[in-house]
Amino acid sequence: MPNVAGMTPDLASALLDLIEGAPGPAKSELAGITISDRPFTASDVVIGQQIFLGERRLANGGPACASCHTLGTIGGLGGGRLGPDLTQVFDRLGGRKGLGAWLSAPPTQTMQSVFRNHALQPEEILPLLAVIDDASNRGRPADSSSVAKFVLFGFGGMLVGLALLQLAWRGRFRSVRRTMVRAQVRGE
Ligand code: HEC
């Protein structure tokens, strides 16, 4: 080790303390997540879809992606509209590596506040990447028809509900009114 002019043991140890205490990269940047590199399988896609839809619970208790996001491949009424449609997000956020890192520590406001204390696990991120990749290959962004379907379903449901109420209450309502009318006629 070279002799440094003016270096004393005390100064050296003070310098070492300074280096140790220096702010480094945030922990989340260092916490190298290890998501397997193996090719996605069909079952990854299936599991990813179950996680996305909330049919399979997240280990740390995060909410299902579909409550805020939709994917072109999930069909039905699609998912939520609070977050962006994720059909085309795979390549835009850097493919497997980029999106994998993104999901392990989401940098955006809503995602961060939702998942900060419910971090996704590598075994969950892999199938999610698989289902999002699959959607980017064969899905089309959900169009507004799913919104129209939602409104129609809601309206239809309301009509069915009203019809059922009418059916259930018809007898009782009429008979009460009939008795009242009879009472009126008899002048009671
Ligand atoms: C509570 C609602 C909510 C839930 C649940 C949610 N997200 Fe998000 N997500 C958002 C919002 C809102 C944004 C837009 C950026 C922001 O504000 O964080 C977003 C952004 C994203 C983006 C970036 C999209 C882009 O176009 O840049 C990805 C990827 C993403 N979410 C993936 C997921 C995955 C995967 C899940 C499930 C594990 C999930 N999100 C669950 C609300 C949610």
Side-chain angles (χ1 to χ4, degrees):
M1 196 174 139
N3 257 338
V4 180
M7 181 60 71
T8 64
D10 280 353
L11 184 56
S13 92
L15 278 173
L16 285 176
D17 286 350
L18 189 72
I19 293 170
E20 244 162 48
K27 189 157 177 283
S28 62
E29 291 170 44
L30 279 178
I33 44 134
T34 39
I35 300 171
S36 162
D37 273 346
R38 67 170 172 75
F40 297 136
T41 63
S43 93
D44 289 334
V45 175
V46 171
I47 294 174
Q49 172 138 341
Q50 290 169 344
I51 294 179
F52 193 92
L53 295 175
E55 293 165 6
R56 194 180 269 255
R57 294 169 70 92
L58 290 167
N60 288 333
C65 318
S67 48
C68 300
H69 292 285
T70 194
L71 259 188
T73 44
I74 63 175
L77 295 175
R81 303 276 150 179
L82 177 66
D85 184 328
L86 297 182
T87 311
Q88 305 293 347
V89 90
F90 191 81
D91 289 329
R92 191 159 51 71
L93 288 186
R96 219 175 143 137
K97 272 218 143 52
L99 182 58
W102 199 99
L103 288 178
S104 66
T108 57
Q109 204 179 9
T110 313
M111 286 294 287
Q112 197 176 58
S113 59
V114 173
F115 289 99
R116 192 172 34 216
N117 296 323
H118 307 280
L120 295 167
Q121 300 293 295
E123 317 81 70
E124 293 165 341
I125 294 178
L126 182 91
L128 281 171
L129 291 172
V131 76
I132 296 174
D133 177 43
D134 178 61
S136 73
N137 291 331
R138 53 183 197 90
R140 279 183 297 119
D143 50 23
S144 51
S145 81
S146 62
V147 175
K149 265 192 255 167
F150 184 76
V151 171
L152 279 179
F153 268 46
F155 192 66
M158 183 192 76
L159 288 183
V160 170
L162 284 177
L164 286 176
L165 283 181
Q166 165 71 6
L167 212 66
W169 285 347
R170 194 176 44 187
R172 192 170 68 176
F173 191 52
R174 289 246 170 96
S175 67
V176 167
R177 196 156 53 183
R178 211 173 287 136
T179 347
M180 285 165 72
V181 170
R182 248 183 244 133
Q184 280 290 315
V185 171
R186 275 192 252 123
E188 282 171 6

